[in-house]
């Protein structure tokens, strides 16, 4: 009897998780419609790293990881979802491959950090949630993502560590602004949807 009564709850929870994963994968696709800014070496500036940060803080590590993996799978099969209408396997062989490969893990790290920062605070204020989102986005969505980017530049563009680090510095100011935008968006969501499970917390 208890199994029968819990089944609808499990189904609803699973359906909600799938919907959220799909929603943030779709959000990444929408962000891909915003024009990119091309830089030397074929690594463009795009808004999509903001989507990585939001997926982590809003969904938590596992669903954030899944949403980015779903998005990258769609890109890999040829859908032109990256900024500038790019898609297909070739983009994973380009100098920006490291950043793309880091999307899923960066979202997971952002989500894990968000969960840790909010641990023990089920009734955290919107301000605290926003500050936590900024810190999580900064460490996971900026530091982690750029670490993958540097590695990709070294492997695909054949740059030295110092050269790759200098290239990725061009993205840091813009990504810092994205961390602030992430915190502002999260603050608005926390005020409008106080029951939202940021970082996948219980």
């Amino acid at each position: 009897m208890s199994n029968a009564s819990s089944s609808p709850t499990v189904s609803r929870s699973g359906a909600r998780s799938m919907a959220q994963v799909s929603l943030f994968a779709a959000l990444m696709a929408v962000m891909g419609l915003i024009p990119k800014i091309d830089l030397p070496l074929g690594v463009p500036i795009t808004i999509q790293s903001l989507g990585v940060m939001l997926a982590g803080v809003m969904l938590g590590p596992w669903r954030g990881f899944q949403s980015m993996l779903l998005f990258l799978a769609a890109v890999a099969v040829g859908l032109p979802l990256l900024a500038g209408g790019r898609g297909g396997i070739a983009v994973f062989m380009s100098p920006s491959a490291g950043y793309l490969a880091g999307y899923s893990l960066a979202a997971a790290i952002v989500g894990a950090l968000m969960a840790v920062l909010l641990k023990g605070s089920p009734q955290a204020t919107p301000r605290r949630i926003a500050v936590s989102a900024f810190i999580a986005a900064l460490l996971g969505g900026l530091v982690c993502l750029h670490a993958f980017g540097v590695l990709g530049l070294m492997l695909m563009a054949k740059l030295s560590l110092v050269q790759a680090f200098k290239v990725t510095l061009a993205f840091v100011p813009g990504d810092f602004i994205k961390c602030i935008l992430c915190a502002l968006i999260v603050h608005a969501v926390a005020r409008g949807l106080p029951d939202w499970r940021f970082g996948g917390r219980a």
Side-chain angles (χ1 to χ4, degrees):
M1 186 70 177
S2 60
N3 289 339
S5 61
S6 64
S7 180
T9 302
V10 173
S11 297
R12 284 194 297 269
S13 177
R16 183 173 62 248
S17 293
M18 289 177 61
Q20 290 175 344
V21 166
S22 300
L23 175 63
F24 276 82
L27 176 63
M28 287 289 286
V30 171
M31 288 182 170
L33 298 175
I34 299 174
K36 61 187 175 71
I37 300 175
D38 290 310
L39 293 180
L41 296 174
V43 182
I45 294 176
T46 78
I47 196 68
Q48 286 178 305
S49 51
L50 174 59
V52 176
M53 299 172 188
L54 287 171
V57 298
M58 297 289 291
L59 301 184
W62 177 235
R63 284 177 295 160
F65 176 87
Q66 288 178 311
S67 66
M68 293 301 102
L69 200 62
L70 176 60
F71 171 74
L72 292 174
V75 170
V77 299
L79 296 182
L81 302 181
L82 294 175
R86 296 169 298 143
I89 292 294
V91 299
F92 296 97
M93 308 297 175
S94 68
S96 60
Y99 296 96
L100 298 177
Y103 276 7
S104 295
L105 187 56
I109 292 174
V110 170
L113 288 170
M114 188 70 173
V116 169
L117 290 168
L118 293 178
K119 186 176 182 180
S121 302
Q123 301 298 323
T125 64
R127 181 177 179 179
R128 177 173 177 181
I129 292 171
V131 171
S132 299
F134 174 78
I135 295 171
L138 186 67
L139 296 178
L142 195 156
V143 176
C144 173
L145 196 55
H146 283 276
F148 275 92
V150 167
L151 183 59
L153 287 167
M154 292 172 64
L155 293 175
M156 299 300 177
K158 307 301 180 185
L159 300 181
S160 67
L161 176 59
V162 173
Q163 290 172 325
F165 182 75
K166 287 181 179 178
V167 170
T168 201
L169 284 178
F171 300 94
V172 171
D175 283 351
F176 185 81
I177 293 174
K178 291 171 195 172
C179 293
I180 297 174
L181 288 174
C182 178
L184 292 175
I185 293 170
V186 165
H187 185 270
V189 173
R191 293 187 64 182
L193 298 171
D195 293 330
W196 189 278
R197 297 171 55 195
F198 293 97
R201 59 182 177 159

